[in-house]
């Protein structure tokens, strides 16, 4: 059974940086595009970034473009989200998902449990 486990969230100051990791167990991420989404209280789940297999192409939400970078280490079966210049509006639970190069969450087949990122001023 595929399990995706996110890590790296926490409390970060405005303007700071953090890196999220998404590690897979029970299955390889080889041949699968991956995505990151986020869900803030009172808002709908929002697309953040997506990356192809093996990682040549990336797409970002306008709200994070130029600040966030999605990448993958296929030898470690892990996908990353480097988050820089963080803003209070980046506060959310962040989820990684497997299976599509897409902004549509319905195109993904497996999801992690999420990791909280809180940006504090």
């Amino acid at each position: 059974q595929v399990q995706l486990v996110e890590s790296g969230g926490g409390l970060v100051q405005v303007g700071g940086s953090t890196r999220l990791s998404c590690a897979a167990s029970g299955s390889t991420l080889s041949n699968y595009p991956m995505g990151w989404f986020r869900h803030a209280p009172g808002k709908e789940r929002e697309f953040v970034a997506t990356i192809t297999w093996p990682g040549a192409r990336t797409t970002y939400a306008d709200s994070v473009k130029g600040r966030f970078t999605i990448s993958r280490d296929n030898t470690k079966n892990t996908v990353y989200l480097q988050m820089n210049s963080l803003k209070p509006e980046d506060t959310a639970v962040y989820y990684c998902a497997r299976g599509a190069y897409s902004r549509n969450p319905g195109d993904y087949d497996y999801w992690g449990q999420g990791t909280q990122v809180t940006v504090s001023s």
Side-chain angles (χ1 to χ4, degrees):
Q1 183 169 346
V2 178
Q3 284 191 317
L4 302 177
V5 180
E6 301 95 339
S7 61
L11 181 63
V12 187
Q13 289 190 332
V14 171
S17 299
T18 193
R19 187 178 76 163
L20 306 184
S21 300
C22 172
S25 63
S27 177
T28 177
L29 297 182
S30 297
N31 298 315
Y32 290 103
M34 297 290 295
W36 284 96
F37 290 78
R38 65 187 182 186
H39 192 189
K43 297 184 179 180
E44 294 187 355
R45 182 170 45 182
E46 177 186 19
F47 165 76
V48 176
T50 183
I51 187 168
T52 56
W53 167 262
R57 294 179 62 193
T58 57
T59 296
Y60 297 91
D62 288 344
S63 59
V64 307
K65 197 174 297 182
R67 300 188 298 121
F68 290 10
T69 302
I70 187 171
S71 63
R72 62 193 305 162
D73 185 336
N74 298 323
T75 65
K76 296 182 178 179
N77 215 26
T78 300
V79 178
Y80 303 98
L81 185 68
Q82 177 67 42
M83 306 165 64
N84 299 329
S85 302
L86 283 161
K87 305 175 181 180
E89 52 264 43
D90 294 320
T91 295
V93 177
Y94 284 74
Y95 299 88
C96 66
R98 191 197 80 165
Y101 183 64
S102 172
R103 297 172 179 263
N104 181 3
D107 292 336
Y108 295 79
D109 55 2
Y110 286 96
W111 292 76
Q113 83 291 346
T115 185
Q116 176 72 47
V117 174
T118 302
V119 184
S120 172
S121 57

